[in-house]
Amino acid sequence: MVYVKPPREERESYRSLVAGYLFAGMLVYFYSIPNIFFVYIDDMWRLFAILLLGSYLVVAIIASYVQYRLSKYKPIGPHFPDFIISLWSMAAINLYGFQALAEQPFFQEAYVNLLWIQVFLILFAWIKWISVTTRKQVAKGVTITLVTFSLFHLISCISAYEGADIYAFLFEEATHTPVWPGIALFFSGLMTRFMMATSIDLVITPEERALLIAEEKAREEALKRKPSEEMLSSGRYLEYGELDYEGEEGLTNYREKGSTTFEDVEFLYRENDFRYFSRMDLNPAKELMLYQENGQWYCQTAGQEPEKVLLSEWANDNEKEWRRFEINKREYLEQAIEYRRLVPRFVEIPSDIDASKIDWYD
C-alpha cells in the first residue's frame, strides 16, 4: 500500500520551507535598508539594491518549491538553501560596504580587493584536483583570519571613540575608522567561510569523506590508547609492538616496540603474504611490512630489523575478512591515479604505469 501525503500536509511543508528562507534572509533585509534609504552613490545603485531585495523574495519562493521537489535528492537538498541565502546575503552586504565607503577611496579600494579575494577562496573550495585536506586547511586559515580581524576591528572601534584611530595610525591615506563597513566585511567573510565549507562538503568524493572520518577516528583513538598497565608491568611492550589492523577504517594504529605512543599508518596494498603500509608520521615516510612467520606476526620498517607485533583482537579473529578490503599493488596505483590520492615516494612503480600521473608525498 502506497501512502500518499495529503495536500494539506504538502502545503504546510512547502510553507515551512518558504518561512525558513524568509527568516534566513535577515542579513539581506538588514543591509538592504541602508542600501536603499541611507547610503547613496546614484540612482543606478539604489535601483540595484531594490532589485536585489525583491529578487530574494521571489527566489525564496521558487527555491523553496525546488528544494521541496528535490528533498529526496540528498547531495543537493542540504546545500541548495545554503548557496541561495549566502549569495544574496553577500551581494547585499558588499553593496553596502562599497557604497558606505564612497567618500573614503582608500578603504573602498581595499574593500573591493578583499571582495575579490573572497570570490577566489569560494572558487578555490570547488577545485577537485586540490586535495580536500589542503582545501580544509585553507578554510581553517580563513576562520583564523576572521577571528583576528574581528578582534582588531573591535579594538580599533573602541580606540576611535577614545580619540586614538588605529586605522589612521597604520594607513596614512585613511581618514577615520570605518566602523559599519568593517562589520559588513566581517559578515561577508563569514558568508565566504560558510560557502567554502558547503562547497568542500558538496564536491568531496565518498572515498575522501571516508578517509577524513577514518583519520579523525584514528587520531582520537591513538591519543587515548596506551599500552595497558599489565603490558607495562610485564615488560612486554619492550618485546612486542602493536598493530591495530582494521583496514576498512582507512587508517591503522601502530606502536613501535619500546614506545608508549601510537601513530597512524596507512595501508597501501598486499602482495603475496606481505601487507605494505606507510608510516606517514615519519619524515620522510617509511615503508612498513606486516607478515607472519611460524605463527608469529612481524612488522619491519624499511632500514630496520623486524620486530614481533601483537595484532588487535579483531585482526586475530578475522584474518580471512582482511581480503575484503585488501588490494594488490596495481589496483592501489590505479585507484591513486583515478582519485588523485597521494602515494608515498618509496613505492616502486611498474614500468607499464605512467609515474607522471601520480601525486607523491615524502
Side-chain angles (χ1 to χ4, degrees), residues 117-150:
I117 292 174
Q118 292 175 64
V119 173
F120 168 78
L121 289 170
I122 294 171
L123 295 176
F124 175 82
W126 281 89
I127 303 176
K128 290 185 178 182
W129 54 265
I130 297 177
S131 70
V132 66
T133 303
T134 301
R135 284 178 280 158
K136 282 184 173 290
Q137 288 174 345
V138 172
K140 288 180 181 178
V142 173
T143 302
I144 295 172
T145 303
L146 269 177
V147 173
T148 304
F149 171 76
S150 64

PDB file of all heavy atoms in Angstrom, residues 117-150:
ATOM      1  N   ILE A 117      39.286  38.635  -3.286  1.00  0.00           N
ATOM      2  CA  ILE A 117      39.949  37.522  -2.595  1.00  0.00           C
ATOM      3  C   ILE A 117      38.917  36.528  -2.074  1.00  0.00           C
ATOM      4  O   ILE A 117      39.106  35.307  -2.167  1.00  0.00           O
ATOM      5  CB  ILE A 117      40.817  38.060  -1.436  1.00  0.00           C
ATOM      6  CG1 ILE A 117      41.992  38.858  -1.989  1.00  0.00           C
ATOM      7  CG2 ILE A 117      41.319  36.912  -0.554  1.00  0.00           C
ATOM      8  CD1 ILE A 117      42.829  39.543  -0.930  1.00  0.00           C
ATOM      9  N   GLN A 118      37.794  37.039  -1.570  1.00  0.00           N
ATOM     10  CA  GLN A 118      36.735  36.154  -1.082  1.00  0.00           C
ATOM     11  C   GLN A 118      36.145  35.324  -2.227  1.00  0.00           C
ATOM     12  O   GLN A 118      35.878  34.130  -2.061  1.00  0.00           O
ATOM     13  CB  GLN A 118      35.637  36.981  -0.408  1.00  0.00           C
ATOM     14  CG  GLN A 118      36.083  37.648   0.884  1.00  0.00           C
ATOM     15  CD  GLN A 118      35.011  38.553   1.453  1.00  0.00           C
ATOM     16  OE1 GLN A 118      33.934  38.092   1.840  1.00  0.00           O
ATOM     17  NE2 GLN A 118      35.282  39.852   1.499  1.00  0.00           N
ATOM     18  N   VAL A 119      35.944  35.953  -3.361  1.00  0.00           N
ATOM     19  CA  VAL A 119      35.431  35.219  -4.525  1.00  0.00           C
ATOM     20  C   VAL A 119      36.411  34.123  -4.932  1.00  0.00           C
ATOM     21  O   VAL A 119      36.009  32.991  -5.230  1.00  0.00           O
ATOM     22  CB  VAL A 119      35.184  36.185  -5.706  1.00  0.00           C
ATOM     23  CG1 VAL A 119      34.820  35.405  -6.973  1.00  0.00           C
ATOM     24  CG2 VAL A 119      34.074  37.173  -5.361  1.00  0.00           C
ATOM     25  N   PHE A 120      37.701  34.440  -4.927  1.00  0.00           N
ATOM     26  CA  PHE A 120      38.714  33.440  -5.265  1.00  0.00           C
ATOM     27  C   PHE A 120      38.678  32.274  -4.281  1.00  0.00           C
ATOM     28  O   PHE A 120      38.785  31.107  -4.682  1.00  0.00           O
ATOM     29  CB  PHE A 120      40.096  34.089  -5.254  1.00  0.00           C
ATOM     30  CG  PHE A 120      41.223  33.092  -5.313  1.00  0.00           C
ATOM     31  CD1 PHE A 120      41.564  32.489  -6.514  1.00  0.00           C
ATOM     32  CD2 PHE A 120      41.918  32.744  -4.164  1.00  0.00           C
ATOM     33  CE1 PHE A 120      42.596  31.552  -6.575  1.00  0.00           C
ATOM     34  CE2 PHE A 120      42.945  31.811  -4.209  1.00  0.00           C
ATOM     35  CZ  PHE A 120      43.279  31.211  -5.416  1.00  0.00           C
ATOM     36  N   LEU A 121      38.531  32.556  -2.986  1.00  0.00           N
ATOM     37  CA  LEU A 121      38.501  31.495  -1.981  1.00  0.00           C
ATOM     38  C   LEU A 121      37.298  30.570  -2.174  1.00  0.00           C
ATOM     39  O   LEU A 121      37.407  29.349  -2.008  1.00  0.00           O
ATOM     40  CB  LEU A 121      38.465  32.108  -0.578  1.00  0.00           C
ATOM     41  CG  LEU A 121      39.761  32.778  -0.110  1.00  0.00           C
ATOM     42  CD1 LEU A 121      39.533  33.555   1.172  1.00  0.00           C
ATOM     43  CD2 LEU A 121      40.861  31.748   0.078  1.00  0.00           C
ATOM     44  N   ILE A 122      36.159  31.145  -2.539  1.00  0.00           N
ATOM     45  CA  ILE A 122      34.964  30.322  -2.778  1.00  0.00           C
ATOM     46  C   ILE A 122      35.199  29.407  -3.980  1.00  0.00           C
ATOM     47  O   ILE A 122      34.873  28.217  -3.947  1.00  0.00           O
ATOM     48  CB  ILE A 122      33.732  31.215  -2.999  1.00  0.00           C
ATOM     49  CG1 ILE A 122      33.392  31.975  -1.709  1.00  0.00           C
ATOM     50  CG2 ILE A 122      32.528  30.383  -3.448  1.00  0.00           C
ATOM     51  CD1 ILE A 122      32.332  33.042  -1.884  1.00  0.00           C
ATOM     52  N   LEU A 123      35.781  29.965  -5.054  1.00  0.00           N
ATOM     53  CA  LEU A 123      36.072  29.147  -6.234  1.00  0.00           C
ATOM     54  C   LEU A 123      37.139  28.098  -5.927  1.00  0.00           C
ATOM     55  O   LEU A 123      37.075  26.973  -6.421  1.00  0.00           O
ATOM     56  CB  LEU A 123      36.529  30.042  -7.389  1.00  0.00           C
ATOM     57  CG  LEU A 123      35.488  31.032  -7.923  1.00  0.00           C
ATOM     58  CD1 LEU A 123      36.104  31.921  -8.995  1.00  0.00           C
ATOM     59  CD2 LEU A 123      34.270  30.304  -8.476  1.00  0.00           C
ATOM     60  N   PHE A 124      38.104  28.471  -5.095  1.00  0.00           N
ATOM     61  CA  PHE A 124      39.175  27.544  -4.709  1.00  0.00           C
ATOM     62  C   PHE A 124      38.606  26.298  -4.024  1.00  0.00           C
ATOM     63  O   PHE A 124      39.098  25.182  -4.233  1.00  0.00           O
ATOM     64  CB  PHE A 124      40.144  28.261  -3.769  1.00  0.00           C
ATOM     65  CG  PHE A 124      41.218  27.377  -3.197  1.00  0.00           C
ATOM     66  CD1 PHE A 124      42.361  27.090  -3.926  1.00  0.00           C
ATOM     67  CD2 PHE A 124      41.074  26.831  -1.926  1.00  0.00           C
ATOM     68  CE1 PHE A 124      43.343  26.271  -3.393  1.00  0.00           C
ATOM     69  CE2 PHE A 124      42.054  26.010  -1.392  1.00  0.00           C
ATOM     70  CZ  PHE A 124      43.197  25.728  -2.129  1.00  0.00           C
ATOM     71  N   ALA A 125      37.559  26.492  -3.215  1.00  0.00           N
ATOM     72  CA  ALA A 125      36.966  25.363  -2.493  1.00  0.00           C
ATOM     73  C   ALA A 125      36.316  24.353  -3.427  1.00  0.00           C
ATOM     74  O   ALA A 125      36.049  23.217  -3.024  1.00  0.00           O
ATOM     75  CB  ALA A 125      35.941  25.879  -1.482  1.00  0.00           C
ATOM     76  N   TRP A 126      36.069  24.744  -4.687  1.00  0.00           N
ATOM     77  CA  TRP A 126      35.430  23.842  -5.658  1.00  0.00           C
ATOM     78  C   TRP A 126      36.442  23.038  -6.468  1.00  0.00           C
ATOM     79  O   TRP A 126      36.049  22.129  -7.200  1.00  0.00           O
ATOM     80  CB  TRP A 126      34.572  24.661  -6.627  1.00  0.00           C
ATOM     81  CG  TRP A 126      33.243  25.062  -6.073  1.00  0.00           C
ATOM     82  CD1 TRP A 126      32.962  26.198  -5.373  1.00  0.00           C
ATOM     83  CD2 TRP A 126      32.020  24.342  -6.173  1.00  0.00           C
ATOM     84  NE1 TRP A 126      31.637  26.220  -5.021  1.00  0.00           N
ATOM     85  CE2 TRP A 126      31.030  25.088  -5.507  1.00  0.00           C
ATOM     86  CE3 TRP A 126      31.657  23.126  -6.756  1.00  0.00           C
ATOM     87  CZ2 TRP A 126      29.712  24.681  -5.403  1.00  0.00           C
ATOM     88  CZ3 TRP A 126      30.342  22.711  -6.661  1.00  0.00           C
ATOM     89  CH2 TRP A 126      29.387  23.471  -5.992  1.00  0.00           C
ATOM     90  N   ILE A 127      37.723  23.345  -6.361  1.00  0.00           N
ATOM     91  CA  ILE A 127      38.717  22.703  -7.225  1.00  0.00           C
ATOM     92  C   ILE A 127      38.972  21.281  -6.731  1.00  0.00           C
ATOM     93  O   ILE A 127      39.634  21.074  -5.713  1.00  0.00           O
ATOM     94  CB  ILE A 127      40.026  23.511  -7.259  1.00  0.00           C
ATOM     95  CG1 ILE A 127      39.744  24.953  -7.725  1.00  0.00           C
ATOM     96  CG2 ILE A 127      41.036  22.848  -8.197  1.00  0.00           C
ATOM     97  CD1 ILE A 127      40.953  25.853  -7.700  1.00  0.00           C
ATOM     98  N   LYS A 128      38.484  20.299  -7.466  1.00  0.00           N
ATOM     99  CA  LYS A 128      38.551  18.915  -7.023  1.00  0.00           C
ATOM    100  C   LYS A 128      39.957  18.351  -7.037  1.00  0.00           C
ATOM    101  O   LYS A 128      40.287  17.473  -6.234  1.00  0.00           O
ATOM    102  CB  LYS A 128      37.640  18.037  -7.902  1.00  0.00           C
ATOM    103  CG  LYS A 128      36.155  18.286  -7.698  1.00  0.00           C
ATOM    104  CD  LYS A 128      35.338  17.298  -8.510  1.00  0.00           C
ATOM    105  CE  LYS A 128      33.847  17.499  -8.278  1.00  0.00           C
ATOM    106  NZ  LYS A 128      33.044  16.510  -9.030  1.00  0.00           N
ATOM    107  N   TRP A 129      40.809  18.808  -7.965  1.00  0.00           N
ATOM    108  CA  TRP A 129      42.135  18.203  -8.069  1.00  0.00           C
ATOM    109  C   TRP A 129      43.067  18.661  -6.963  1.00  0.00           C
ATOM    110  O   TRP A 129      44.157  18.116  -6.808  1.00  0.00           O
ATOM    111  CB  TRP A 129      42.758  18.451  -9.439  1.00  0.00           C
ATOM    112  CG  TRP A 129      42.832  19.876  -9.874  1.00  0.00           C
ATOM    113  CD1 TRP A 129      41.930  20.551 -10.654  1.00  0.00           C
ATOM    114  CD2 TRP A 129      43.865  20.825  -9.567  1.00  0.00           C
ATOM    115  NE1 TRP A 129      42.334  21.852 -10.845  1.00  0.00           N
ATOM    116  CE2 TRP A 129      43.530  22.039 -10.195  1.00  0.00           C
ATOM    117  CE3 TRP A 129      45.050  20.749  -8.832  1.00  0.00           C
ATOM    118  CZ2 TRP A 129      44.324  23.170 -10.094  1.00  0.00           C
ATOM    119  CZ3 TRP A 129      45.842  21.884  -8.739  1.00  0.00           C
ATOM    120  CH2 TRP A 129      45.481  23.065  -9.364  1.00  0.00           C
ATOM    121  N   ILE A 130      42.654  19.645  -6.172  1.00  0.00           N
ATOM    122  CA  ILE A 130      43.394  20.003  -4.957  1.00  0.00           C
ATOM    123  C   ILE A 130      42.851  19.139  -3.828  1.00  0.00           C
ATOM    124  O   ILE A 130      41.638  19.027  -3.654  1.00  0.00           O
ATOM    125  CB  ILE A 130      43.239  21.498  -4.625  1.00  0.00           C
ATOM    126  CG1 ILE A 130      43.846  22.351  -5.754  1.00  0.00           C
ATOM    127  CG2 ILE A 130      43.903  21.833  -3.293  1.00  0.00           C
ATOM    128  CD1 ILE A 130      43.682  23.832  -5.551  1.00  0.00           C
ATOM    129  N   SER A 131      43.713  18.536  -3.051  1.00  0.00           N
ATOM    130  CA  SER A 131      43.275  17.592  -2.024  1.00  0.00           C
ATOM    131  C   SER A 131      42.324  18.263  -1.041  1.00  0.00           C
ATOM    132  O   SER A 131      42.447  19.462  -0.747  1.00  0.00           O
ATOM    133  CB  SER A 131      44.479  17.025  -1.263  1.00  0.00           C
ATOM    134  OG  SER A 131      45.079  18.017  -0.456  1.00  0.00           O
ATOM    135  N   VAL A 132      41.380  17.485  -0.529  1.00  0.00           N
ATOM    136  CA  VAL A 132      40.389  18.021   0.402  1.00  0.00           C
ATOM    137  C   VAL A 132      41.067  18.492   1.684  1.00  0.00           C
ATOM    138  O   VAL A 132      40.608  19.452   2.327  1.00  0.00           O
ATOM    139  CB  VAL A 132      39.306  16.952   0.697  1.00  0.00           C
ATOM    140  CG1 VAL A 132      39.889  15.774   1.454  1.00  0.00           C
ATOM    141  CG2 VAL A 132      38.149  17.553   1.497  1.00  0.00           C
ATOM    142  N   THR A 133      42.178  17.857   2.049  1.00  0.00           N
ATOM    143  CA  THR A 133      42.911  18.287   3.245  1.00  0.00           C
ATOM    144  C   THR A 133      43.450  19.701   3.066  1.00  0.00           C
ATOM    145  O   THR A 133      43.342  20.537   3.971  1.00  0.00           O
ATOM    146  CB  THR A 133      44.075  17.319   3.532  1.00  0.00           C
ATOM    147  OG1 THR A 133      43.557  15.995   3.680  1.00  0.00           O
ATOM    148  CG2 THR A 133      44.808  17.723   4.801  1.00  0.00           C
ATOM    149  N   THR A 134      44.009  19.987   1.891  1.00  0.00           N
ATOM    150  CA  THR A 134      44.537  21.329   1.611  1.00  0.00           C
ATOM    151  C   THR A 134      43.417  22.358   1.631  1.00  0.00           C
ATOM    152  O   THR A 134      43.558  23.449   2.215  1.00  0.00           O
ATOM    153  CB  THR A 134      45.242  21.353   0.246  1.00  0.00           C
ATOM    154  OG1 THR A 134      46.300  20.398   0.258  1.00  0.00           O
ATOM    155  CG2 THR A 134      45.788  22.738  -0.059  1.00  0.00           C
ATOM    156  N   ARG A 135      42.289  22.021   1.009  1.00  0.00           N
ATOM    157  CA  ARG A 135      41.160  22.969   0.995  1.00  0.00           C
ATOM    158  C   ARG A 135      40.635  23.231   2.391  1.00  0.00           C
ATOM    159  O   ARG A 135      40.266  24.360   2.729  1.00  0.00           O
ATOM    160  CB  ARG A 135      40.055  22.430   0.085  1.00  0.00           C
ATOM    161  CG  ARG A 135      40.366  22.583  -1.401  1.00  0.00           C
ATOM    162  CD  ARG A 135      39.282  22.008  -2.259  1.00  0.00           C
ATOM    163  NE  ARG A 135      39.386  20.555  -2.372  1.00  0.00           N
ATOM    164  CZ  ARG A 135      38.393  19.756  -2.684  1.00  0.00           C
ATOM    165  NH1 ARG A 135      37.190  20.258  -2.908  1.00  0.00           N
ATOM    166  NH2 ARG A 135      38.574  18.459  -2.790  1.00  0.00           N
ATOM    167  N   LYS A 136      40.594  22.201   3.218  1.00  0.00           N
ATOM    168  CA  LYS A 136      40.136  22.389   4.597  1.00  0.00           C
ATOM    169  C   LYS A 136      41.114  23.229   5.402  1.00  0.00           C
ATOM    170  O   LYS A 136      40.713  24.036   6.245  1.00  0.00           O
ATOM    171  CB  LYS A 136      39.917  21.023   5.272  1.00  0.00           C
ATOM    172  CG  LYS A 136      38.618  20.336   4.864  1.00  0.00           C
ATOM    173  CD  LYS A 136      38.411  19.051   5.626  1.00  0.00           C
ATOM    174  CE  LYS A 136      37.030  18.464   5.351  1.00  0.00           C
ATOM    175  NZ  LYS A 136      35.955  19.267   5.955  1.00  0.00           N
ATOM    176  N   GLN A 137      42.403  23.059   5.154  1.00  0.00           N
ATOM    177  CA  GLN A 137      43.398  23.870   5.851  1.00  0.00           C
ATOM    178  C   GLN A 137      43.275  25.345   5.473  1.00  0.00           C
ATOM    179  O   GLN A 137      43.408  26.232   6.324  1.00  0.00           O
ATOM    180  CB  GLN A 137      44.800  23.350   5.535  1.00  0.00           C
ATOM    181  CG  GLN A 137      45.126  22.018   6.201  1.00  0.00           C
ATOM    182  CD  GLN A 137      46.466  21.459   5.767  1.00  0.00           C
ATOM    183  OE1 GLN A 137      47.051  21.905   4.769  1.00  0.00           O
ATOM    184  NE2 GLN A 137      46.975  20.491   6.510  1.00  0.00           N
ATOM    185  N   VAL A 138      43.017  25.606   4.178  1.00  0.00           N
ATOM    186  CA  VAL A 138      42.808  26.991   3.743  1.00  0.00           C
ATOM    187  C   VAL A 138      41.558  27.569   4.411  1.00  0.00           C
ATOM    188  O   VAL A 138      41.541  28.717   4.850  1.00  0.00           O
ATOM    189  CB  VAL A 138      42.691  27.056   2.208  1.00  0.00           C
ATOM    190  CG1 VAL A 138      42.279  28.457   1.759  1.00  0.00           C
ATOM    191  CG2 VAL A 138      44.007  26.670   1.558  1.00  0.00           C
ATOM    192  N   ALA A 139      40.500  26.757   4.499  1.00  0.00           N
ATOM    193  CA  ALA A 139      39.270  27.209   5.160  1.00  0.00           C
ATOM    194  C   ALA A 139      39.522  27.520   6.629  1.00  0.00           C
ATOM    195  O   ALA A 139      38.992  28.506   7.168  1.00  0.00           O
ATOM    196  CB  ALA A 139      38.183  26.140   5.018  1.00  0.00           C
ATOM    197  N   LYS A 140      40.335  26.707   7.295  1.00  0.00           N
ATOM    198  CA  LYS A 140      40.688  26.992   8.690  1.00  0.00           C
ATOM    199  C   LYS A 140      41.465  28.296   8.789  1.00  0.00           C
ATOM    200  O   LYS A 140      41.297  29.059   9.746  1.00  0.00           O
ATOM    201  CB  LYS A 140      41.503  25.840   9.270  1.00  0.00           C
ATOM    202  CG  LYS A 140      40.691  24.571   9.524  1.00  0.00           C
ATOM    203  CD  LYS A 140      41.566  23.473  10.098  1.00  0.00           C
ATOM    204  CE  LYS A 140      40.747  22.199  10.333  1.00  0.00           C
ATOM    205  NZ  LYS A 140      41.596  21.092  10.843  1.00  0.00           N
ATOM    206  N   GLY A 141      42.330  28.536   7.788  1.00  0.00           N
ATOM    207  CA  GLY A 141      43.065  29.797   7.767  1.00  0.00           C
ATOM    208  C   GLY A 141      42.127  30.990   7.646  1.00  0.00           C
ATOM    209  O   GLY A 141      42.371  32.047   8.255  1.00  0.00           O
ATOM    210  N   VAL A 142      41.053  30.836   6.868  1.00  0.00           N
ATOM    211  CA  VAL A 142      40.051  31.903   6.744  1.00  0.00           C
ATOM    212  C   VAL A 142      39.387  32.142   8.091  1.00  0.00           C
ATOM    213  O   VAL A 142      39.141  33.293   8.488  1.00  0.00           O
ATOM    214  CB  VAL A 142      39.005  31.533   5.674  1.00  0.00           C
ATOM    215  CG1 VAL A 142      37.870  32.550   5.660  1.00  0.00           C
ATOM    216  CG2 VAL A 142      39.651  31.465   4.298  1.00  0.00           C
ATOM    217  N   THR A 143      39.084  31.078   8.825  1.00  0.00           N
ATOM    218  CA  THR A 143      38.477  31.215  10.149  1.00  0.00           C
ATOM    219  C   THR A 143      39.388  31.992  11.086  1.00  0.00           C
ATOM    220  O   THR A 143      38.938  32.904  11.800  1.00  0.00           O
ATOM    221  CB  THR A 143      38.182  29.825  10.751  1.00  0.00           C
ATOM    222  OG1 THR A 143      37.316  29.098   9.875  1.00  0.00           O
ATOM    223  CG2 THR A 143      37.524  29.951  12.110  1.00  0.00           C
ATOM    224  N   ILE A 144      40.672  31.637  11.100  1.00  0.00           N
ATOM    225  CA  ILE A 144      41.631  32.335  11.964  1.00  0.00           C
ATOM    226  C   ILE A 144      41.726  33.808  11.579  1.00  0.00           C
ATOM    227  O   ILE A 144      41.757  34.697  12.438  1.00  0.00           O
ATOM    228  CB  ILE A 144      43.009  31.662  11.875  1.00  0.00           C
ATOM    229  CG1 ILE A 144      42.935  30.231  12.435  1.00  0.00           C
ATOM    230  CG2 ILE A 144      44.064  32.472  12.619  1.00  0.00           C
ATOM    231  CD1 ILE A 144      44.193  29.418  12.205  1.00  0.00           C
ATOM    232  N   THR A 145      41.741  34.076  10.265  1.00  0.00           N
ATOM    233  CA  THR A 145      41.804  35.457   9.792  1.00  0.00           C
ATOM    234  C   THR A 145      40.570  36.248  10.215  1.00  0.00           C
ATOM    235  O   THR A 145      40.672  37.411  10.626  1.00  0.00           O
ATOM    236  CB  THR A 145      41.937  35.488   8.255  1.00  0.00           C
ATOM    237  OG1 THR A 145      43.091  34.738   7.864  1.00  0.00           O
ATOM    238  CG2 THR A 145      42.055  36.912   7.751  1.00  0.00           C
ATOM    239  N   LEU A 146      39.403  35.617  10.127  1.00  0.00           N
ATOM    240  CA  LEU A 146      38.162  36.276  10.533  1.00  0.00           C
ATOM    241  C   LEU A 146      38.177  36.646  12.008  1.00  0.00           C
ATOM    242  O   LEU A 146      37.800  37.762  12.392  1.00  0.00           O
ATOM    243  CB  LEU A 146      36.963  35.356  10.250  1.00  0.00           C
ATOM    244  CG  LEU A 146      36.277  35.485   8.902  1.00  0.00           C
ATOM    245  CD1 LEU A 146      35.174  34.443   8.787  1.00  0.00           C
ATOM    246  CD2 LEU A 146      35.702  36.888   8.714  1.00  0.00           C
ATOM    247  N   VAL A 147      38.591  35.703  12.840  1.00  0.00           N
ATOM    248  CA  VAL A 147      38.638  35.963  14.287  1.00  0.00           C
ATOM    249  C   VAL A 147      39.624  37.082  14.578  1.00  0.00           C
ATOM    250  O   VAL A 147      39.327  37.996  15.372  1.00  0.00           O
ATOM    251  CB  VAL A 147      39.030  34.674  15.045  1.00  0.00           C
ATOM    252  CG1 VAL A 147      39.250  34.967  16.527  1.00  0.00           C
ATOM    253  CG2 VAL A 147      37.957  33.609  14.885  1.00  0.00           C
ATOM    254  N   THR A 148      40.790  37.035  13.936  1.00  0.00           N
ATOM    255  CA  THR A 148      41.806  38.070  14.150  1.00  0.00           C
ATOM    256  C   THR A 148      41.295  39.438  13.721  1.00  0.00           C
ATOM    257  O   THR A 148      41.463  40.438  14.433  1.00  0.00           O
ATOM    258  CB  THR A 148      43.086  37.726  13.362  1.00  0.00           C
ATOM    259  OG1 THR A 148      43.544  36.422  13.744  1.00  0.00           O
ATOM    260  CG2 THR A 148      44.171  38.739  13.628  1.00  0.00           C
ATOM    261  N   PHE A 149      40.656  39.493  12.541  1.00  0.00           N
ATOM    262  CA  PHE A 149      40.140  40.765  12.052  1.00  0.00           C
ATOM    263  C   PHE A 149      39.052  41.314  12.964  1.00  0.00           C
ATOM    264  O   PHE A 149      39.004  42.522  13.231  1.00  0.00           O
ATOM    265  CB  PHE A 149      39.589  40.607  10.633  1.00  0.00           C
ATOM    266  CG  PHE A 149      38.841  41.824  10.148  1.00  0.00           C
ATOM    267  CD1 PHE A 149      39.535  42.961   9.743  1.00  0.00           C
ATOM    268  CD2 PHE A 149      37.448  41.851  10.117  1.00  0.00           C
ATOM    269  CE1 PHE A 149      38.849  44.104   9.309  1.00  0.00           C
ATOM    270  CE2 PHE A 149      36.766  42.968   9.696  1.00  0.00           C
ATOM    271  CZ  PHE A 149      37.459  44.102   9.283  1.00  0.00           C
ATOM    272  N   SER A 150      38.154  40.434  13.430  1.00  0.00           N
ATOM    273  CA  SER A 150      37.061  40.900  14.292  1.00  0.00           C
ATOM    274  C   SER A 150      37.602  41.507  15.587  1.00  0.00           C
ATOM    275  O   SER A 150      37.108  42.544  16.051  1.00  0.00           O
ATOM    276  CB  SER A 150      36.099  39.745  14.601  1.00  0.00           C
ATOM    277  OG  SER A 150      36.751  38.729  15.343  1.00  0.00           O
TER     278      SER A 150
END
